[in-house]
Amino acid sequence: MDVKQKIEKLKKKRNAVILVHNYQLPEVQDIADYTGDSLGLSVEASKTKADVIVFCGVYFMAETAKILSPEKTVLIPDKHAGCPLANMINIKQLKEFKEKNPGVKILCYVNSSAKIKAESDICCTSANALEIAEKAFTEDDKICLIPDKNLAQYVASKVKRNFIFWPGYCPTHAWILPEHIKKQREKYPRAEVLAHPECSQAVLAVSDKVFSTGGMSSYVKKSKSKEFIIGTENGMLYRLKQDNPDKEFYPAADIAVCRNMKKITLDKVVWSLENMKEEVIVPEDIISKAKTSIQAMLKYV
Ligand code: CIZ
C-alpha cells in the first residue's frame, strides 16, 4: 500500500475528515477532503458527521476547529507546527494591556490562540476584517486589532475607525519586500499583483489588489488576467494552479515559505491517524468564551 492508500484506509477506520490549509505542501493538499482558509475549513468540518478532524495547518487553526466542533476529536499531525504571528501575544500581555487601556475593544485576528480569542470582544479574518471593523464598532471606539500590526494598518487605511497597533507580524509575509514585487513586475509585465494584508504597507502600496487567501481564490477564477504575482505564503500558488490550470502564477518572493506550515507531511498524517495523535485539547471554559468571539463575528458576515 502506498502512503495515500494508507491514509484512505485509516480515514475510513477513524471516520475522519482531512482539512488542509492553502499554505500546505502540494502532496498534503492533494489528500484533502477540504482545502481553504482556517475559518472556512473549521466551519466545513463542523457540518460533517466525522468523528475525527485531522487538521493539516498550524496549531491555532486546529484549535479553531476544536472550538467549532468540541464533540469531535481534533488531531494535528505535528504539534510543533506553531504560528509565530499567533505567538506574538500571550494572555498575560493581553490582560495587562486591557488593564492599562480601560474600555479598549479587542478585535482578534483568527491567527491567535484559543486563549486569546476567549479574552477578546470579537474575532475577524483577513477576508472580513474591514467589514467587522466597520460594522461592529463606532468612530468613538478605541480598537486594538491583535496580534497583526500589518492587517491592522491595512484596515485603518480603509475604514474610519480608531486603532491602537499591537506590534505583531507574520515573519513569512514580512520577508516579502517592495523590491521583490518590482523585480517580478519587470519579469512578468502582464501579471496582476495580488498581496495578502499580512504584508507590509509598503508592499501593499506597490500591489494591484489586496486579498485574503480565499479572496485570491475567488478573484483569480473571475479575472480575465492570465498571469498573477502572488504576495503570500508560497503554498498558495499550488492551490491557485490546481483551480486555474490555464493561468500562470509567480511568487512575489521565493523566500516566502512558512517552515511551520511545511512541518506537516503525508507520513505524519498516517502516524496521526494510526495513533490518534496529537490530540488538540482546549479547556471547556476557553471553548465557550472563544466561541462567543467567533459567533460575534459570524453575526456580521
Ligand atoms: O485564516 C487563514 O487561513 C489565513 C492564515 C489567512 C488567509 O488569508 O486565509
Side-chain angles (χ1 to χ4, degrees):
M1 246 195 280
D2 70 17
V3 67
K4 284 191 183 167
Q5 289 166 328
K6 272 192 209 163
I7 291 170
E8 264 319 300
K9 198 170 160 203
L10 284 161
K11 241 174 62 177
K12 287 203 182 91
K13 179 175 166 194
R14 301 294 191 196
N15 187 26
V17 277
I18 301 188
L19 309 184
V20 180
H21 191 266
N22 289 325
Y23 296 159
Q24 289 285 290
L25 289 167
E27 62 271 26
V28 179
Q29 295 197 27
D30 286 346
I31 55 144
D33 291 306
Y34 301 98
T35 47
D37 64 29
S38 61
L39 184 71
L41 288 172
S42 296
V43 170
E44 280 307 322
S46 70
K47 293 182 201 155
T48 72
K49 292 210 161 64
D51 296 314
V52 175
I53 295 172
V54 181
F55 208 116
C56 301
V58 290
Y59 204 84
F60 81 82
M61 297 181 173
E63 281 189 333
T64 308
K66 184 70 186 175
I67 293 163
L68 296 188
S69 300
E71 72 296 347
K72 294 182 174 43
T73 301
V74 177
L75 304 175
I76 184 159
D78 187 331
K79 71 172 178 186
H80 301 293
C83 172
L85 169 58
N87 294 340
M88 286 193 191
I89 187 164
N90 64 39
I91 198 67
K92 185 169 170 275
Q93 291 169 320
L94 178 55
K95 283 186 175 163
E96 278 171 11
F97 176 80
K98 283 166 70 169
E99 266 168 36
K100 280 193 198 135
N101 295 275
V104 70
K105 302 277 192 307
I106 304 296
L107 169 59
C108 72
Y109 186 26
V110 70
N111 281 41
S112 55
S113 69
K115 277 189 189 159
I116 293 293
K117 288 187 178 79
E119 201 55 44
S120 299
D121 294 299
I122 184 165
C123 189
C124 72
T125 66
S126 47
N128 65 28
L130 295 176
E131 204 179 346
I132 299 296
E134 222 163 25
K135 291 185 180 165
F137 302 105
T138 68
E139 282 182 36
D140 297 329
D141 288 324
K142 273 231 157 0
I143 310 162
C144 185
L145 195 170
I146 51 169
D148 189 3
K149 183 184 71 183
N150 288 331
L151 178 65
Q153 284 178 339
Y154 169 66
V155 177
S157 74
K158 296 284 171 196
V159 302
K160 222 166 152 250
R161 294 289 177 269
N162 286 313
F163 285 92
I164 303 176
F165 299 102
W166 187 269
Y169 63 94
C170 163
T172 303
H173 285 88
W175 286 326
I176 305 173
L177 303 175
E179 296 86 286
H180 292 128
I181 308 273
K182 194 169 166 253
K183 222 167 128 197
Q184 291 297 69
R185 272 201 198 274
E186 277 162 16
K187 212 163 160 193
Y188 306 108
R190 282 199 298 267
E192 268 192 89
V193 180
L194 313 183
H196 194 277
E198 286 179 35
C199 292
S200 70
Q201 291 305 287
V203 166
L204 300 189
V206 295
S207 301
D208 295 316
K209 299 239 156 40
V210 180
F211 286 122
S212 66
T213 62
M216 284 182 191
S217 284
S218 2
Y219 178 76
V220 163
K221 276 181 203 153
K222 289 185 297 201
S223 169
K224 289 201 176 72
S225 301
K226 289 280 177 211
E227 292 176 78
F228 300 87
I229 294 164
I230 302 298
T232 190
E233 206 284 336
N234 288 344
M236 189 63 198
L237 277 87
Y238 182 73
R239 180 79 266 120
L240 292 170
K241 187 67 185 170
Q242 291 302 105
D243 295 344
N244 307 275
D246 58 323
K247 301 191 175 182
E248 295 305 325
F249 301 94
Y250 315 109
D254 288 330
I255 195 175
V257 175
C258 172
R259 289 189 201 100
N260 284 287
M261 282 284 175
K262 286 7 179 197
K263 281 183 180 156
I264 309 295
T265 62
L266 292 183
D267 286 338
K268 287 182 190 172
V269 174
V270 171
W271 173 85
S272 184
L273 280 164
E274 270 172 350
N275 298 289
M276 294 296 282
K277 281 187 175 169
E278 300 280 349
E279 186 173 353
V280 176
I281 308 284
V282 183
E284 261 175 47
D285 59 323
I286 300 290
I287 289 188
S288 136
K289 286 196 211 156
K291 202 180 225 169
T292 306
S293 85
I294 294 176
Q295 280 165 344
M297 160 183 71
L298 293 175
K299 264 201 333 223
Y300 293 103
V301 291

PDB file of all heavy atoms in Angstrom, residues 242-270:
ATOM      1  N   GLN A 242      -3.929  24.563  -9.246  1.00  0.00           N
ATOM      2  CA  GLN A 242      -4.855  23.426  -9.309  1.00  0.00           C
ATOM      3  C   GLN A 242      -6.244  23.874  -9.759  1.00  0.00           C
ATOM      4  O   GLN A 242      -6.895  23.209 -10.548  1.00  0.00           O
ATOM      5  CB  GLN A 242      -5.000  22.762  -7.922  1.00  0.00           C
ATOM      6  CG  GLN A 242      -3.783  22.035  -7.425  1.00  0.00           C
ATOM      7  CD  GLN A 242      -3.330  20.945  -8.372  1.00  0.00           C
ATOM      8  OE1 GLN A 242      -2.349  21.104  -9.079  1.00  0.00           O
ATOM      9  NE2 GLN A 242      -4.047  19.847  -8.418  1.00  0.00           N
ATOM     10  N   ASP A 243      -6.665  25.016  -9.207  1.00  0.00           N
ATOM     11  CA  ASP A 243      -8.013  25.508  -9.516  1.00  0.00           C
ATOM     12  C   ASP A 243      -8.090  26.238 -10.856  1.00  0.00           C
ATOM     13  O   ASP A 243      -9.176  26.413 -11.400  1.00  0.00           O
ATOM     14  CB  ASP A 243      -8.504  26.459  -8.406  1.00  0.00           C
ATOM     15  CG  ASP A 243      -8.671  25.736  -7.078  1.00  0.00           C
ATOM     16  OD1 ASP A 243      -8.714  24.486  -7.080  1.00  0.00           O
ATOM     17  OD2 ASP A 243      -8.753  26.409  -6.028  1.00  0.00           O
ATOM     18  N   ASN A 244      -6.924  26.711 -11.349  1.00  0.00           N
ATOM     19  CA  ASN A 244      -6.912  27.512 -12.597  1.00  0.00           C
ATOM     20  C   ASN A 244      -5.761  27.049 -13.481  1.00  0.00           C
ATOM     21  O   ASN A 244      -4.779  27.773 -13.680  1.00  0.00           O
ATOM     22  CB  ASN A 244      -6.708  29.004 -12.269  1.00  0.00           C
ATOM     23  CG  ASN A 244      -7.709  29.515 -11.254  1.00  0.00           C
ATOM     24  OD1 ASN A 244      -8.807  29.907 -11.611  1.00  0.00           O
ATOM     25  ND2 ASN A 244      -7.333  29.488  -9.986  1.00  0.00           N
ATOM     26  N   PRO A 245      -5.846  25.832 -14.051  1.00  0.00           N
ATOM     27  CA  PRO A 245      -4.699  25.287 -14.797  1.00  0.00           C
ATOM     28  C   PRO A 245      -4.316  26.111 -16.025  1.00  0.00           C
ATOM     29  O   PRO A 245      -3.177  26.020 -16.491  1.00  0.00           O
ATOM     30  CB  PRO A 245      -5.163  23.881 -15.197  1.00  0.00           C
ATOM     31  CG  PRO A 245      -6.585  23.767 -14.821  1.00  0.00           C
ATOM     32  CD  PRO A 245      -6.966  24.902 -13.937  1.00  0.00           C
ATOM     33  N   ASP A 246      -5.234  26.930 -16.521  1.00  0.00           N
ATOM     34  CA  ASP A 246      -4.917  27.728 -17.718  1.00  0.00           C
ATOM     35  C   ASP A 246      -4.234  29.046 -17.385  1.00  0.00           C
ATOM     36  O   ASP A 246      -3.916  29.832 -18.275  1.00  0.00           O
ATOM     37  CB  ASP A 246      -6.224  28.013 -18.486  1.00  0.00           C
ATOM     38  CG  ASP A 246      -7.236  28.755 -17.615  1.00  0.00           C
ATOM     39  OD1 ASP A 246      -7.308  28.461 -16.384  1.00  0.00           O
ATOM     40  OD2 ASP A 246      -7.932  29.655 -18.126  1.00  0.00           O
ATOM     41  N   LYS A 247      -4.005  29.327 -16.096  1.00  0.00           N
ATOM     42  CA  LYS A 247      -3.384  30.612 -15.713  1.00  0.00           C
ATOM     43  C   LYS A 247      -2.001  30.370 -15.104  1.00  0.00           C
ATOM     44  O   LYS A 247      -1.711  29.251 -14.672  1.00  0.00           O
ATOM     45  CB  LYS A 247      -4.300  31.349 -14.733  1.00  0.00           C
ATOM     46  CG  LYS A 247      -5.666  31.611 -15.352  1.00  0.00           C
ATOM     47  CD  LYS A 247      -6.557  32.539 -14.578  1.00  0.00           C
ATOM     48  CE  LYS A 247      -7.821  32.785 -15.405  1.00  0.00           C
ATOM     49  NZ  LYS A 247      -8.766  33.698 -14.795  1.00  0.00           N
ATOM     50  N   GLU A 248      -1.182  31.429 -15.086  1.00  0.00           N
ATOM     51  CA  GLU A 248       0.180  31.276 -14.570  1.00  0.00           C
ATOM     52  C   GLU A 248       0.349  32.084 -13.284  1.00  0.00           C
ATOM     53  O   GLU A 248      -0.163  33.201 -13.175  1.00  0.00           O
ATOM     54  CB  GLU A 248       1.212  31.783 -15.602  1.00  0.00           C
ATOM     55  CG  GLU A 248       1.262  30.984 -16.895  1.00  0.00           C
ATOM     56  CD  GLU A 248       1.492  29.490 -16.676  1.00  0.00           C
ATOM     57  OE1 GLU A 248       2.230  29.120 -15.738  1.00  0.00           O
ATOM     58  OE2 GLU A 248       0.914  28.690 -17.447  1.00  0.00           O
ATOM     59  N   PHE A 249       1.090  31.490 -12.350  1.00  0.00           N
ATOM     60  CA  PHE A 249       1.277  32.132 -11.044  1.00  0.00           C
ATOM     61  C   PHE A 249       2.760  32.196 -10.711  1.00  0.00           C
ATOM     62  O   PHE A 249       3.475  31.204 -10.887  1.00  0.00           O
ATOM     63  CB  PHE A 249       0.521  31.344  -9.973  1.00  0.00           C
ATOM     64  CG  PHE A 249      -0.939  31.254 -10.278  1.00  0.00           C
ATOM     65  CD1 PHE A 249      -1.450  30.157 -10.966  1.00  0.00           C
ATOM     66  CD2 PHE A 249      -1.783  32.293  -9.953  1.00  0.00           C
ATOM     67  CE1 PHE A 249      -2.800  30.092 -11.310  1.00  0.00           C
ATOM     68  CE2 PHE A 249      -3.138  32.241 -10.297  1.00  0.00           C
ATOM     69  CZ  PHE A 249      -3.641  31.138 -10.970  1.00  0.00           C
ATOM     70  N   TYR A 250       3.190  33.370 -10.229  1.00  0.00           N
ATOM     71  CA  TYR A 250       4.593  33.552  -9.864  1.00  0.00           C
ATOM     72  C   TYR A 250       4.641  34.051  -8.417  1.00  0.00           C
ATOM     73  O   TYR A 250       3.842  34.916  -8.040  1.00  0.00           O
ATOM     74  CB  TYR A 250       5.259  34.587 -10.783  1.00  0.00           C
ATOM     75  CG  TYR A 250       4.917  34.377 -12.253  1.00  0.00           C
ATOM     76  CD1 TYR A 250       4.080  35.265 -12.931  1.00  0.00           C
ATOM     77  CD2 TYR A 250       5.411  33.270 -12.943  1.00  0.00           C
ATOM     78  CE1 TYR A 250       3.743  35.060 -14.267  1.00  0.00           C
ATOM     79  CE2 TYR A 250       5.081  33.061 -14.283  1.00  0.00           C
ATOM     80  CZ  TYR A 250       4.244  33.953 -14.929  1.00  0.00           C
ATOM     81  OH  TYR A 250       3.905  33.740 -16.244  1.00  0.00           O
ATOM     82  N   PRO A 251       5.584  33.536  -7.630  1.00  0.00           N
ATOM     83  CA  PRO A 251       5.671  34.038  -6.249  1.00  0.00           C
ATOM     84  C   PRO A 251       6.208  35.466  -6.239  1.00  0.00           C
ATOM     85  O   PRO A 251       7.088  35.792  -7.053  1.00  0.00           O
ATOM     86  CB  PRO A 251       6.677  33.082  -5.594  1.00  0.00           C
ATOM     87  CG  PRO A 251       7.480  32.525  -6.711  1.00  0.00           C
ATOM     88  CD  PRO A 251       6.607  32.526  -7.938  1.00  0.00           C
ATOM     89  N   ALA A 252       5.694  36.298  -5.324  1.00  0.00           N
ATOM     90  CA  ALA A 252       6.267  37.649  -5.185  1.00  0.00           C
ATOM     91  C   ALA A 252       7.720  37.504  -4.752  1.00  0.00           C
ATOM     92  O   ALA A 252       8.584  38.227  -5.221  1.00  0.00           O
ATOM     93  CB  ALA A 252       5.472  38.444  -4.154  1.00  0.00           C
ATOM     94  N   ALA A 253       7.968  36.535  -3.864  1.00  0.00           N
ATOM     95  CA  ALA A 253       9.344  36.301  -3.384  1.00  0.00           C
ATOM     96  C   ALA A 253       9.499  34.813  -3.079  1.00  0.00           C
ATOM     97  O   ALA A 253       8.662  34.248  -2.360  1.00  0.00           O
ATOM     98  CB  ALA A 253       9.594  37.120  -2.122  1.00  0.00           C
ATOM     99  N   ASP A 254      10.563  34.202  -3.592  1.00  0.00           N
ATOM    100  CA  ASP A 254      10.779  32.767  -3.350  1.00  0.00           C
ATOM    101  C   ASP A 254      10.931  32.448  -1.867  1.00  0.00           C
ATOM    102  O   ASP A 254      10.658  31.337  -1.426  1.00  0.00           O
ATOM    103  CB  ASP A 254      12.060  32.296  -4.073  1.00  0.00           C
ATOM    104  CG  ASP A 254      11.843  32.246  -5.577  1.00  0.00           C
ATOM    105  OD1 ASP A 254      10.701  31.999  -6.002  1.00  0.00           O
ATOM    106  OD2 ASP A 254      12.818  32.490  -6.321  1.00  0.00           O
ATOM    107  N   ILE A 255      11.363  33.442  -1.116  1.00  0.00           N
ATOM    108  CA  ILE A 255      11.654  33.222   0.306  1.00  0.00           C
ATOM    109  C   ILE A 255      10.381  33.087   1.170  1.00  0.00           C
ATOM    110  O   ILE A 255      10.448  32.649   2.318  1.00  0.00           O
ATOM    111  CB  ILE A 255      12.556  34.379   0.814  1.00  0.00           C
ATOM    112  CG1 ILE A 255      13.171  34.002   2.149  1.00  0.00           C
ATOM    113  CG2 ILE A 255      11.825  35.698   0.861  1.00  0.00           C
ATOM    114  CD1 ILE A 255      14.151  35.006   2.691  1.00  0.00           C
ATOM    115  N   ALA A 256       9.227  33.422   0.604  1.00  0.00           N
ATOM    116  CA  ALA A 256       8.001  33.442   1.422  1.00  0.00           C
ATOM    117  C   ALA A 256       7.445  32.037   1.672  1.00  0.00           C
ATOM    118  O   ALA A 256       6.381  31.654   1.185  1.00  0.00           O
ATOM    119  CB  ALA A 256       6.962  34.340   0.772  1.00  0.00           C
ATOM    120  N   VAL A 257       8.191  31.273   2.447  1.00  0.00           N
ATOM    121  CA  VAL A 257       7.791  29.897   2.764  1.00  0.00           C
ATOM    122  C   VAL A 257       7.737  29.772   4.281  1.00  0.00           C
ATOM    123  O   VAL A 257       8.719  30.077   4.964  1.00  0.00           O
ATOM    124  CB  VAL A 257       8.823  28.892   2.183  1.00  0.00           C
ATOM    125  CG1 VAL A 257       8.485  27.471   2.609  1.00  0.00           C
ATOM    126  CG2 VAL A 257       8.870  29.002   0.660  1.00  0.00           C
ATOM    127  N   CYS A 258       6.592  29.345   4.804  1.00  0.00           N
ATOM    128  CA  CYS A 258       6.443  29.181   6.258  1.00  0.00           C
ATOM    129  C   CYS A 258       6.909  27.777   6.645  1.00  0.00           C
ATOM    130  O   CYS A 258       6.282  26.787   6.277  1.00  0.00           O
ATOM    131  CB  CYS A 258       4.988  29.401   6.668  1.00  0.00           C
ATOM    132  SG  CYS A 258       4.696  28.977   8.393  1.00  0.00           S
ATOM    133  N   ARG A 259       7.996  27.717   7.411  1.00  0.00           N
ATOM    134  CA  ARG A 259       8.553  26.402   7.775  1.00  0.00           C
ATOM    135  C   ARG A 259       7.608  25.620   8.663  1.00  0.00           C
ATOM    136  O   ARG A 259       7.600  24.401   8.654  1.00  0.00           O
ATOM    137  CB  ARG A 259       9.894  26.579   8.486  1.00  0.00           C
ATOM    138  CG  ARG A 259      10.945  27.032   7.520  1.00  0.00           C
ATOM    139  CD  ARG A 259      12.328  27.011   8.165  1.00  0.00           C
ATOM    140  NE  ARG A 259      13.172  27.905   7.393  1.00  0.00           N
ATOM    141  CZ  ARG A 259      13.466  29.147   7.746  1.00  0.00           C
ATOM    142  NH1 ARG A 259      13.003  29.631   8.871  1.00  0.00           N
ATOM    143  NH2 ARG A 259      14.221  29.890   6.989  1.00  0.00           N
ATOM    144  N   ASN A 260       6.808  26.318   9.440  1.00  0.00           N
ATOM    145  CA  ASN A 260       5.860  25.621  10.316  1.00  0.00           C
ATOM    146  C   ASN A 260       4.771  24.924   9.516  1.00  0.00           C
ATOM    147  O   ASN A 260       4.406  23.791   9.806  1.00  0.00           O
ATOM    148  CB  ASN A 260       5.247  26.612  11.304  1.00  0.00           C
ATOM    149  CG  ASN A 260       6.223  26.941  12.399  1.00  0.00           C
ATOM    150  OD1 ASN A 260       6.478  26.126  13.260  1.00  0.00           O
ATOM    151  ND2 ASN A 260       6.809  28.119  12.329  1.00  0.00           N
ATOM    152  N   MET A 261       4.265  25.619   8.497  1.00  0.00           N
ATOM    153  CA  MET A 261       3.246  25.017   7.637  1.00  0.00           C
ATOM    154  C   MET A 261       3.787  23.748   6.975  1.00  0.00           C
ATOM    155  O   MET A 261       3.071  22.774   6.799  1.00  0.00           O
ATOM    156  CB  MET A 261       2.831  26.010   6.552  1.00  0.00           C
ATOM    157  CG  MET A 261       1.888  27.065   7.040  1.00  0.00           C
ATOM    158  SD  MET A 261       0.242  26.339   7.208  1.00  0.00           S
ATOM    159  CE  MET A 261      -0.641  27.714   7.914  1.00  0.00           C
ATOM    160  N   LYS A 262       5.079  23.789   6.639  1.00  0.00           N
ATOM    161  CA  LYS A 262       5.671  22.666   5.892  1.00  0.00           C
ATOM    162  C   LYS A 262       6.085  21.521   6.820  1.00  0.00           C
ATOM    163  O   LYS A 262       6.655  20.528   6.357  1.00  0.00           O
ATOM    164  CB  LYS A 262       6.879  23.147   5.091  1.00  0.00           C
ATOM    165  CG  LYS A 262       6.645  23.992   3.831  1.00  0.00           C
ATOM    166  CD  LYS A 262       5.292  24.452   3.492  1.00  0.00           C
ATOM    167  CE  LYS A 262       5.236  25.304   2.234  1.00  0.00           C
ATOM    168  NZ  LYS A 262       3.995  26.074   2.103  1.00  0.00           N
ATOM    169  N   LYS A 263       5.809  21.654   8.116  1.00  0.00           N
ATOM    170  CA  LYS A 263       6.140  20.543   9.034  1.00  0.00           C
ATOM    171  C   LYS A 263       5.191  19.363   8.857  1.00  0.00           C
ATOM    172  O   LYS A 263       5.474  18.247   9.280  1.00  0.00           O
ATOM    173  CB  LYS A 263       6.074  21.028  10.489  1.00  0.00           C
ATOM    174  CG  LYS A 263       7.306  21.799  10.893  1.00  0.00           C
ATOM    175  CD  LYS A 263       7.270  22.217  12.336  1.00  0.00           C
ATOM    176  CE  LYS A 263       8.554  22.988  12.650  1.00  0.00           C
ATOM    177  NZ  LYS A 263       8.404  23.897  13.792  1.00  0.00           N
ATOM    178  N   ILE A 264       4.018  19.620   8.274  1.00  0.00           N
ATOM    179  CA  ILE A 264       3.044  18.527   8.101  1.00  0.00           C
ATOM    180  C   ILE A 264       3.389  17.767   6.822  1.00  0.00           C
ATOM    181  O   ILE A 264       3.480  18.362   5.752  1.00  0.00           O
ATOM    182  CB  ILE A 264       1.603  19.087   7.995  1.00  0.00           C
ATOM    183  CG1 ILE A 264       1.292  20.062   9.146  1.00  0.00           C
ATOM    184  CG2 ILE A 264       0.584  17.953   7.917  1.00  0.00           C
ATOM    185  CD1 ILE A 264       1.252  19.516  10.534  1.00  0.00           C
ATOM    186  N   THR A 265       3.590  16.452   6.968  1.00  0.00           N
ATOM    187  CA  THR A 265       3.919  15.604   5.805  1.00  0.00           C
ATOM    188  C   THR A 265       2.913  14.455   5.739  1.00  0.00           C
ATOM    189  O   THR A 265       2.186  14.198   6.715  1.00  0.00           O
ATOM    190  CB  THR A 265       5.330  15.006   5.959  1.00  0.00           C
ATOM    191  OG1 THR A 265       5.318  14.183   7.141  1.00  0.00           O
ATOM    192  CG2 THR A 265       6.407  16.079   6.089  1.00  0.00           C
ATOM    193  N   LEU A 266       2.922  13.746   4.618  1.00  0.00           N
ATOM    194  CA  LEU A 266       1.982  12.611   4.488  1.00  0.00           C
ATOM    195  C   LEU A 266       2.278  11.538   5.530  1.00  0.00           C
ATOM    196  O   LEU A 266       1.351  10.952   6.109  1.00  0.00           O
ATOM    197  CB  LEU A 266       2.071  12.018   3.075  1.00  0.00           C
ATOM    198  CG  LEU A 266       1.558  12.914   1.941  1.00  0.00           C
ATOM    199  CD1 LEU A 266       1.628  12.174   0.617  1.00  0.00           C
ATOM    200  CD2 LEU A 266       0.142  13.405   2.211  1.00  0.00           C
ATOM    201  N   ASP A 267       3.564  11.261   5.788  1.00  0.00           N
ATOM    202  CA  ASP A 267       3.900  10.246   6.800  1.00  0.00           C
ATOM    203  C   ASP A 267       3.359  10.634   8.169  1.00  0.00           C
ATOM    204  O   ASP A 267       2.901   9.782   8.937  1.00  0.00           O
ATOM    205  CB  ASP A 267       5.421  10.050   6.874  1.00  0.00           C
ATOM    206  CG  ASP A 267       5.929   9.284   5.661  1.00  0.00           C
ATOM    207  OD1 ASP A 267       5.124   8.576   5.027  1.00  0.00           O
ATOM    208  OD2 ASP A 267       7.122   9.414   5.333  1.00  0.00           O
ATOM    209  N   LYS A 268       3.423  11.920   8.471  1.00  0.00           N
ATOM    210  CA  LYS A 268       2.906  12.364   9.773  1.00  0.00           C
ATOM    211  C   LYS A 268       1.376  12.246   9.838  1.00  0.00           C
ATOM    212  O   LYS A 268       0.803  12.015  10.898  1.00  0.00           O
ATOM    213  CB  LYS A 268       3.343  13.801  10.069  1.00  0.00           C
ATOM    214  CG  LYS A 268       4.818  13.906  10.430  1.00  0.00           C
ATOM    215  CD  LYS A 268       5.173  15.345  10.770  1.00  0.00           C
ATOM    216  CE  LYS A 268       6.682  15.515  10.891  1.00  0.00           C
ATOM    217  NZ  LYS A 268       7.073  16.920  11.036  1.00  0.00           N
ATOM    218  N   VAL A 269       0.714  12.408   8.683  1.00  0.00           N
ATOM    219  CA  VAL A 269      -0.752  12.234   8.668  1.00  0.00           C
ATOM    220  C   VAL A 269      -1.079  10.767   8.964  1.00  0.00           C
ATOM    221  O   VAL A 269      -1.988  10.465   9.757  1.00  0.00           O
ATOM    222  CB  VAL A 269      -1.365  12.688   7.315  1.00  0.00           C
ATOM    223  CG1 VAL A 269      -2.854  12.359   7.252  1.00  0.00           C
ATOM    224  CG2 VAL A 269      -1.139  14.182   7.096  1.00  0.00           C
ATOM    225  N   VAL A 270      -0.316   9.847   8.382  1.00  0.00           N
ATOM    226  CA  VAL A 270      -0.525   8.412   8.653  1.00  0.00           C
ATOM    227  C   VAL A 270      -0.326   8.158  10.151  1.00  0.00           C
ATOM    228  O   VAL A 270      -1.172   7.551  10.828  1.00  0.00           O
ATOM    229  CB  VAL A 270       0.470   7.533   7.833  1.00  0.00           C
ATOM    230  CG1 VAL A 270       0.398   6.077   8.271  1.00  0.00           C
ATOM    231  CG2 VAL A 270       0.186   7.667   6.347  1.00  0.00           C
TER     232      VAL A 270
END
